[in-house]
Amino acid sequence: MKPRARVVLYAKADCSLCDEMKQQIAQASCAELYTLEEVDIEKDAELFASYRYEIPVLCINGVEAFRHRLRSDEFRVYVTSLVPGST
C-alpha cells in the first residue's frame, strides 16, 4: 500500500467557505494520495474556541497548511510534495 498524507479539515455545518474548500480538494484529482478526515468544530468546545472565527482550517500530516481559502492546484502541489513517488 502506498503511503498517504493525512488531511484533516476543521469545519462546521452550513459554512460556505468550508464547502468551497471541500470542493477544491475534490477538484485537485489526487484522492489516491491522501486520507481526508472532516472534524466538526461544533462538537468539541476546545476546537470551537480555537477555530470559531478561523474555519476552514486544513492540516496536512499534523501541520496547518491552509486557512480560509484553498485552490485545487495548491493542494495538489502540497500533497504530491509529501508523498514519495507521487510526482
Side-chain angles (χ1 to χ4, degrees), residues 2-3 30 32-33 73 75-87:
K2 283 186 168 182
C30 59
E32 71 282 357
L33 300 178
D73 59 328
F75 177 74
R76 186 175 40 257
V77 167
Y78 194 104
V79 171
T80 55
S81 74
L82 297 175
V83 178
S86 62
T87 54

Side-chain angles (χ1 to χ4, degrees), residues 43-78:
K43 295 183 177 181
D44 181 305
E46 191 174 312
L47 288 176
F48 186 74
S50 295
Y51 294 122
R52 180 178 189 175
Y53 301 110
E54 301 300 326
I55 58 170
V57 173
L58 191 70
C59 294
I60 303 176
N61 289 347
V63 176
E64 183 180 316
F66 300 95
R67 186 179 285 235
H68 304 293
R69 299 215 182 267
L70 168 72
R71 288 192 348 238
S72 60
D73 59 328
E74 294 172 327
F75 177 74
R76 186 175 40 257
V77 167
Y78 194 104

